[in-house]
Amino acid sequence: MSHFPARETLKWYHGGEDARSMTEAKLLLCDCLKSQSINAEEIEKHTRLACSKVHTALCHTEAAVAESALQSGDVVIACAQERTFFEELAGDLEVNEPHFIDIRDRAGWTSSDVEPTAKMAALIAEAMLPAPGERVVDVSSEGTCLLLGEPDIAFDAAKLLCETLSVTVLVAPHAEMPVTDDRRFDVVRGHIKSATGALGGFQVAFDALRERIPGGRGAFNWTEPKGGGRSACDIIVDLRRDTPLFPAADKREGYLRADPGNKDAYSKVILEASQLIGTFEKPIYVKVNKDLCAHSRAQKTGCNRCLDLCPTGAITPAGDHITIDPMVCAGCGMCSAACPSGAVSYDAPTPQHVFKRIETLATTWRKAANEPPRLLVHDAAYGLEIIQLSARYGKGLPTDVIPLEVSALAAFGHAEALAALGCGFSTVDILVSPQTEQEGLPFQVELANAISGNGQVRLLEPTDPDDLEAALYEEADRTANETPILPLGSRRQVTRLAAKTLNAPDVLLDLPAGAPYGAVAMNEDACTLCLSCVSLCPSGALKENPDQPQLRFQEDACLQCGICTNICPESALSLVPQLNLSDAALTPIVLKEEEPFECIECGKPFGVRSTVERIMGQLAGKHSMFKDGGAARMIQMCDDCRVNAAYHSENNPFASNERPRVRTTDDYIRRDH
């Protein structure tokens, strides 16, 4: 990272205790005062996890049972509500903290008459999967703080923070200053011209910067205004009512913004700022494979999907590929869902881990139930809270609705939704929260429905538990794929595999504009077979034939990046968004071929006959350089013969006088005598 490389240390976490195998762990069950039905024998049968008998009050009257289980070794407790109690109990006993699985709010607490055993088993089996590794970067903050706002407001905030942070207050050049001379913080005047960076590494540029001159009687004295001032700080507290300094300002770590008229927001910002000293772990949410990126080639722009969607501006062009600033990236995941090649991939966790979770849920469900399940995708904050409120005070989730908590809703794209449908889920609902970055999600849903052909994927935006229940309890088609897939491979591979099992094997699906799958249409009359598109195609979908003038195309490799259409000098190519499920998409087809021209000297094939003949017609005898018959003949020669002919021609541009004889020692001796 360019902001503060000396203070960054890349570290890998592999889940620690969460990553260890839990196949030998014991599942501690509790029906929470008989408020849910639990079949321990069936759960043990379908998960192959040893289960205790069903207790009633492990967190209260039967706490001794929990204490004994914690002391005996690895324990998984099927209760999330009382997690704090069991963690404190483990601490008192000085044993490892147990694992927790919520089967009550997400399964047992429901008004449905259907037994929830299959759903409980699926949730338990999915929770038993080893946690993936996580990459983090250490970010250091020494507490240097730039505070922005009207003088009265900013000075009051500075007085609250100056005992903890090193505060500099920036006020407008002509703002009226209050009568105060608090030297615990610094004060400057000026405008912010630009700001970059994040927590621990902000870089700020100023205009009309004036610093306070210490000493003197009366009002402050100031230096003359200067432009081009630059400074660095760890934290920015913005108490202005102006436009934020950064896009998606609430996602910029270290940039704390509040309306000073909102007392709660103001107090929260002051409290958060006071705690931003020390070393913090910043997750690395995505990884970039530059070799796969189809952003541009030879300064011709192609794919801009991630650049157009990134809310924080963390993604920027870097030549033929893009780069992502991990300090600015907020981990929304839209770039991963939209990337056609897999060059940008969500890494916390990876798509492959999400596929595995989906496949585990579906496989375990099928062992215990005949009807197909439905998938409800939600986040760990808003979505989980609505589900818990519905369970405690409402109908709860229907028995056939299996919740899947993900770290980034926007990263759950068409590939993940199709994987769920391919694994046997009848529908996929994505529970959107007010904090979800939604710009890319509607297209991902549209694309998934275009490929599945059934409208089985939808976005839910409930404002309360009642809205969620109304959407989930309505009658709907419960048909599902009867030949479940194993979702292995890249997102593109899983998409194609799911599409083939959800549709006829040889169908051609029309997709919406902007889809990352499709073909290239050609105007054969315009194409000259210059093959410039072949040399720049980032995925190798466009190919040449080294033995003859031929342009070939392999559809399953096409990213629809548009570089070929931008580079084609004849505008002969256009993109056709579609998904061809036949095997023909896996092998190259010929878009255009022509007869090669044979060299008039050696007979070796070279070039394209129509092109050579067209050049001859346009230049021979017409252009000043080709009025001579010999010069025109060179157009019809291969490279080797053309060089040879030019060298031996009368007007050889390489010709010169005969080289003089090399002098030797004998010549000098002869001259002396």
Side-chain angles (χ1 to χ4, degrees), residues 105 107-112 387 389-399 465-466 468-470 472-474:
D105 293 343
W109 278 4
T110 176
S111 63
S112 175
I387 290 172
L389 289 173
S390 173
R392 179 171 287 276
Y393 301 106
K395 294 181 178 180
L397 296 181
T399 307
D466 292 338
L468 178 63
E469 293 167 8
L472 296 179
Y473 277 89
E474 65 184 11

Side-chain angles (χ1 to χ4, degrees), residues 139-152:
V139 179
S140 296
S141 170
E142 297 176 357
T144 56
C145 174
L146 178 63
L147 204 157
L148 315 176
E150 295 296 324
D152 287 336

Side-chain angles (χ1 to χ4, degrees), residues 64-101:
V65 175
E67 181 176 334
S68 176
L70 289 171
Q71 290 176 322
S72 65
D74 288 344
V75 176
V76 180
I77 300 178
C79 175
Q81 175 179 284
E82 300 301 327
R83 178 170 187 152
T84 302
F85 168 79
F86 293 114
E87 288 177 340
E88 290 177 351
L89 181 59
D92 293 340
L93 297 173
E94 297 182 350
V95 297
N96 292 331
E97 290 184 354
H99 298 274
F100 298 91
I101 300 173

Side-chain angles (χ1 to χ4, degrees), residues 374-589:
R374 294 180 285 163
L375 188 67
L376 177 65
V377 186
H378 65 90
D379 63 7
Y382 182 83
L384 181 60
E385 182 180 7
I386 280 192
I387 290 172
Q388 291 172 337
L389 289 173
S390 173
R392 179 171 287 276
Y393 301 106
K395 294 181 178 180
L397 296 181
T399 307
D400 66 336
V401 173
I402 301 180
L404 175 68
E405 181 183 309
V406 295
S407 55
L409 279 176
F412 195 92
H414 69 278
E416 289 76 12
L418 290 168
L421 297 177
C423 285
F425 286 94
S426 61
T427 61
V428 177
D429 291 323
I430 303 174
L431 199 167
V432 179
S433 75
Q435 291 76 36
T436 302
E437 294 294 342
Q438 298 188 37
E439 188 174 351
L441 268 177
F443 179 78
Q444 294 297 316
V445 171
E446 180 186 5
L447 182 56
N449 285 326
I451 294 175
S452 67
N454 248 342
Q456 297 165 277
V457 184
R458 61 178 178 170
L459 295 178
L460 299 182
E461 301 183 53
T463 57
D464 54 43
D466 292 338
D467 288 344
L468 178 63
E469 293 167 8
L472 296 179
Y473 277 89
E474 65 184 11
E475 290 298 323
D477 183 11
R478 296 292 186 262
T479 59
N481 174 37
E482 296 181 356
T483 56
I485 66 170
L486 191 61
L488 299 176
S490 67
R491 298 180 76 249
R492 288 182 70 88
Q493 292 168 333
V494 170
T495 296
R496 184 173 183 82
L497 180 61
K500 287 180 73 70
T501 194
L502 295 170
N503 297 275
D506 295 329
V507 73
L508 181 64
L509 303 173
D510 292 328
L511 301 182
Y517 314 97
V520 172
M522 170 184 285
N523 181 346
E524 290 195 37
D525 294 335
C527 178
T528 62
L529 283 179
C530 68
L531 301 181
S532 59
C533 55
V534 172
S535 62
L536 297 182
C537 179
S539 65
L542 290 166
K543 308 171 185 290
E544 65 176 330
N545 186 339
D547 298 325
Q548 64 184 99
Q550 193 178 79
L551 176 61
R552 299 186 295 172
F553 174 70
Q554 184 171 326
E555 185 168 340
D556 79 308
C558 181
L559 306 176
Q560 297 283 286
C561 64
I563 290 178
C564 59
T565 61
N566 292 335
I567 198 64
C568 181
E570 310 298 339
S571 300
L573 301 176
S574 59
L575 302 179
V576 182
Q578 64 182 35
L579 185 59
N580 185 355
L581 299 181
S582 69
D583 291 341
L586 305 177
T587 56
I589 62 171

